[in-house]
Amino acid sequence: MTGIPLVFVFILSIIAMILLISKWKIHPFLAIMLISAILGLLGGIPLISSVGEGGKKIMGLPEVIGAGFSSTFSSIGIVIIFGAMIGTFLEVTGAALKLADMVIKLVGPHRPELAIELMGWVVSIPVFCDSGFVVLNPIRKALVKRTGASSVAMTVCLSAGLYASHVFIPPTPGPIAAANTLGIGNQFLLVMLFGAICSIPALITSYFYAKHIGQKEQARDEADSDSIEKTYEELVAEYGQLPNGFMSLAPIIVPILLMALSNIATLAHWKGLGAELCIFFGTPIMALAVGVVLGVYLVLQQKMADKLYKMVDDTLKVSGPILFVTAAGSVLGKVIASTSLVSFITANANILQSIGILFPFVLSALLKTAQGSSTVALTTTAGIMAPLLPALGLASPISSVLVVMAIGAGAMTVSHANDSYFWVVTNFGQMTPNQGYRTQTVVTLIEGISSMALIFVLSLFLH
């Protein structure tokens, strides 16, 4: 099946998946795997592998499913485990509570949602949003206990802040790749400037939506304000003496700095052993491994060595379900990418050309929603747009930068079940998949549209 019928089948598959999970209470792992298999069969993926023209291997459905599943473990699996482990160390030692106190002293006790959103926005400039959420989640949870803020509102704000810079501001790989493809790789600072500006509407609108949805939804780990406040005070008393600020911050800030330094080394084309070490320790897995080592040192410093085995064991039990549901989402994305859906959208992109600066936004949003990855949507759309810029009157440096921004806005519209970030946010935020659609999916839609509105206005004055 190809063309328009496949598009309809894709839409019906997503609706069926949502109904299976939310209405009929089928476990997300089973629902996503089932829909992936059905969509793969209807989408024309062969039952078994074969060799096509020119000796090119064509993967069969079982191989496609296996590749999608394993990609999670090779890319973000260890990151999730290490990040969750750091979170456990910070929680058990009281370091997360210390960090919450530091944040409260910095921004005041009445704006925790804004604090965590801005924290996410800054962190995700050098760090992938998935990794950033896992790393910052302990602070989010501690701030909920410390301030009595809505856990859902805090989750949405953290997710939205991370996402805004992830799609707009280099040195995150997606915007860099898009800028290079469109021939403005030498306008790095200009892309950063416009990325920061265009992320502002996303931050503002998502903040107010988070406050709104936080009053309507309640996460599994949430309680009323009085019990939260009491629990916080009791926890502080139980620890006796909280760790110092530097050691509490080190397991989080050191991995972030290592990842940022790796990006700098790559962009600046550093050479030699020093550059190799920067890039090595700056990969998310190695950076978070350093964070784990610092977390273990923190545990030993707090004289909790006897609890270390149980901490690690409990973390692995919690991480397992998150990993498998995330892997199922990757399977769905891989199956969709293996059908002709993406190539059909790409081949018929000329239908959308008449809408100008909205064209890259719509195309990127279609690709994002179809296959799940914001980075893939950014890079694929940029590749399609590159030869079309002169025809659309968008060939000047400023116009090309705005095209990158429009692609970025589309690349966040929307995050749903085929996006690994959806499952990271939903599971670490202690929400059901149904709540994930009402929070993560809706807030990414709001972010994308609000940012695109500003980009459209800017395009009217800047050429």
Side-chain angles (χ1 to χ4, degrees), residues 9 31 42 109 173 183 374 401 436 450:
V9 167
L42 295 177
S374 294
V401 170
S450 60

Side-chain angles (χ1 to χ4, degrees), residues 98-386:
K98 179 67 177 181
L99 291 173
D101 277 340
M102 292 166 65
V103 172
I104 292 302
K105 288 178 182 176
L106 186 64
V107 302
H110 305 300
R111 297 183 295 274
E113 297 93 349
L114 180 61
I116 201 70
E117 183 177 50
L118 294 177
M119 202 179 299
W121 182 78
V122 171
V123 165
S124 197
I125 292 173
V127 177
F128 268 94
C129 54
D130 307 66
S131 306
F133 194 96
V134 174
V135 170
L136 293 180
N137 191 53
I139 300 179
R140 180 197 67 82
K141 292 172 67 177
L143 280 171
V144 170
K145 291 180 180 179
R146 179 69 177 87
T147 64
S150 161
S151 177
V152 170
M154 293 288 282
T155 294
V156 174
C157 276
L158 175 56
S159 167
L162 288 160
Y163 216 29
S165 51
H166 175 76
V167 299
F168 283 128
I169 308 175
T172 308
I176 288 179
N180 281 325
T181 302
L182 296 178
I184 51 170
N186 59 340
Q187 303 288 338
F188 181 71
L189 291 179
L190 193 61
V191 176
M192 287 191 72
L193 174 62
F194 272 83
I197 293 171
C198 293
S199 67
I200 292 173
L203 294 174
I204 294 173
T205 54
S206 60
Y207 172 77
F208 285 108
Y209 180 73
K211 296 281 283 187
H212 165 75
I213 198 66
Q215 297 174 346
K216 296 180 175 294
E217 301 288 342
Q218 215 176 38
R220 290 191 295 270
D221 62 348
E222 207 158 7
D224 59 82
S225 299
D226 291 337
S227 65
I228 289 176
E229 197 65 37
K230 181 180 178 183
T231 301
Y232 174 79
E233 299 300 336
E234 288 177 349
L235 281 172
V236 172
E238 287 175 6
Y239 291 116
Q241 185 175 2
L242 296 178
N244 65 61
F246 175 77
M247 278 311 304
S248 298
L249 192 59
I252 291 178
I253 196 66
V254 170
I256 291 171
L257 291 175
L258 287 172
M259 285 186 271
L261 188 60
S262 173
N263 280 330
I264 292 171
T266 302
L267 290 171
H269 304 292
W270 291 354
K271 303 293 183 183
L273 179 61
E276 291 179 5
L277 288 175
C278 286
I279 295 171
F280 171 74
F281 283 107
T283 58
I285 291 175
M286 294 310 303
L288 286 172
V290 173
V292 169
V293 172
L294 292 171
V296 170
Y297 179 77
L298 181 64
V299 170
L300 298 177
Q301 191 181 57
Q302 292 296 106
K303 297 179 172 55
M304 294 182 172
D306 57 322
K307 298 181 180 180
L308 182 59
Y309 182 93
K310 188 175 186 304
M311 289 183 206
V312 175
D313 194 48
D314 289 345
T315 300
L316 294 176
K317 290 176 182 177
V318 171
S319 302
I322 298 173
L323 278 172
F324 287 114
V325 174
T326 302
S330 295
V331 169
L332 179 59
K334 182 67 174 178
V335 166
I336 292 170
S338 299
T339 68
S340 60
L341 180 63
V342 174
S343 59
F344 174 77
I345 293 172
T346 303
N348 291 275
N350 60 314
I351 298 173
L352 305 172
Q353 288 181 29
S354 61
I355 59 177
I357 193 68
L358 294 176
F359 169 45
F361 169 76
V362 174
L363 181 58
S364 181
L366 286 171
L367 291 172
K368 162 64 180 176
T369 304
Q371 52 76 45
S373 168
S374 294
T375 303
V376 170
L378 274 158
T379 54
T380 304
T381 306
I384 296 170
M385 289 300 303

